[in-house]
């Protein structure tokens, strides 16, 4: 299902780029934990062996939580904050982060299989999903990436310098605004989405406000990491 790609070197030699899964280790100065960053593609076969290999590596390296990041196409406008859905396997995490237990039934991907395996092996796991506009699905979405990163910070307990991504998110929104404004039909469609989202938010109950202790802990964590990284 996932094919390799071919490219030409100097216009002559063919090079094959095979799909691969890559694991990086990242030390985070001042943070309570380091990070293991895994990026790859959904395998076409042997999902149980695939997830078993991931969890085996996690145990070997002392990982105490698995967090996955993903995006899904939705009827959301690009002009509003990116909706983030968080699903946790552990009741403590559900209560602390204000997440929910999934009651979805139906076909699943390798991410769902991985979280099921985490639950079966007593490894806390969190699945974060960003809803992205389906009408601009073909281009990378740094605004959604930034929203995922900010949610990841709260779960993982790290502070991330994302200034470059913030700049890219601003550029992305301006470019999409210009493209939408040039097409009356698309502009009208986006305005209808905005109205729908605003109506839902007006009817929704107020969001849970973080406690003062929670805010203080997050701020202390941020300052600790800033000191560990030195003056910038």
């Amino acid at each position: 299902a996932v094919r390799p790609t071919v490219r030409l070197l100097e216009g002559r030699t063919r090079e094959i780029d095979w799909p691969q899964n890559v694991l990086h280790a990242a030390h985070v100065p001042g943070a309570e934990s380091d990070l293991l960053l895994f990026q790859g593609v959904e395998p076409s076969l042997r999902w149980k062996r695939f997830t078993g290999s991931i969890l085996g590596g996690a145990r070997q390296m002392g990982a105490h939580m698995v967090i996955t990041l993903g995006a899904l196409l939705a009827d959301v406008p690009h002009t509003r904050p990116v909706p983030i859905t968080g699903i946790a396997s552990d009741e403590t995490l559900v209560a602390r982060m204000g997440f929910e237990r999934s009651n979805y039934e139906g076909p699943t991907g390798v991410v769902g299989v991985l979280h099921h395996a985490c639950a079966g092996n007593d490894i806390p796991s969190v699945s974060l999903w960003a809803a992205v506009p389906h009408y601009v699905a073909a281009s990378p979405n740094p605004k959604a990436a930034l929203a995922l990163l900010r949610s990841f910070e709260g779960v993982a307990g790290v502070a991330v310098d994302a200034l470059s991504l913030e700049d890219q998110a601003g550029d992305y929104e301006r470019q999409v605004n210009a493209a939408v404004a040039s097409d009356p039909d698309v502009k009208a469609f986006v305005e209808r989405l905005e109205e729908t989202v605003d109506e839902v938010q007006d009817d929704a109950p107020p969001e849970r406000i973080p406690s003062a202790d929670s805010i203080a802990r997050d701020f202390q964590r941020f300052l600790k990491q800033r000191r560990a990284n030195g003056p910038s």
Side-chain angles (χ1 to χ4, degrees), residues 37 42 204:
L37 308 175
E42 182 175 87

Side-chain angles (χ1 to χ4, degrees), residues 29 49 64 74-75 80-81 129 135 149 157 181 210:
R49 178 179 294 184
H64 56 81
D75 287 331
R80 297 295 186 264
W129 292 91
Y135 54 89
L149 186 60

Side-chain angles (χ1 to χ4, degrees), residues 22-23 69 75 81 86 92 110 150 178 181 189 193 212 230:
V22 182
L23 179 69
L69 308 179
D75 287 331
T92 304
V110 75
R150 293 310 182 205
F189 174 73
L193 286 180

Side-chain angles (χ1 to χ4, degrees), residues 184-225:
D185 292 337
V186 175
K187 182 180 179 181
F189 174 73
V190 172
E191 289 174 349
R192 288 197 299 271
L193 286 180
E194 292 173 337
E195 292 173 359
T196 301
V197 169
D198 293 342
E199 289 174 359
V200 171
Q201 290 179 343
D202 290 340
D203 295 337
E207 294 184 5
R208 186 183 65 174
I209 300 176
S211 67
D213 289 342
S214 176
I215 294 174
R217 284 196 301 269
D218 290 342
F219 188 60
Q220 288 172 353
R221 182 187 300 122
F222 172 75
L223 291 179
K224 183 179 179 181
Q225 286 186 225

Side-chain angles (χ1 to χ4, degrees), residues 35 68 141-143 165-166 219 228:
L35 298 177
T68 59
N141 191 324
K143 185 176 179 179
L165 193 57
E166 290 174 359
F219 188 60

Side-chain angles (χ1 to χ4, degrees), residues 16 36 40 43 69 81 87 91 96 117 130 145 168 171 192 199 202 230-232:
I16 299 292
L36 299 170
L69 308 179
I87 302 170
E91 293 290 354
R96 178 165 62 88
Q168 294 174 36
D171 292 339
R192 288 197 299 271
E199 289 174 359
D202 290 340
S232 60

Side-chain angles (χ1 to χ4, degrees), residues 75-113:
D75 287 331
V76 294
H78 70 280
T79 54
R80 297 295 186 264
V82 178
I84 298 291
T85 299
I87 302 170
S89 62
D90 182 81
E91 293 290 354
T92 304
L93 282 172
V94 172
R96 178 165 62 88
M97 303 305 300
F99 289 157
E100 60 186 40
R101 276 194 171 276
S102 174
N103 55 10
Y104 167 78
E105 294 180 325
T108 188
V110 75
V111 170
V113 173

Side-chain angles (χ1 to χ4, degrees), residues 170-189:
D171 292 339
Y172 164 84
E173 190 156 358
R174 285 189 290 271
Q175 291 170 7
V176 177
N177 282 340
V180 169
S182 66
D183 189 319
D185 292 337
V186 175
K187 182 180 179 181
F189 174 73

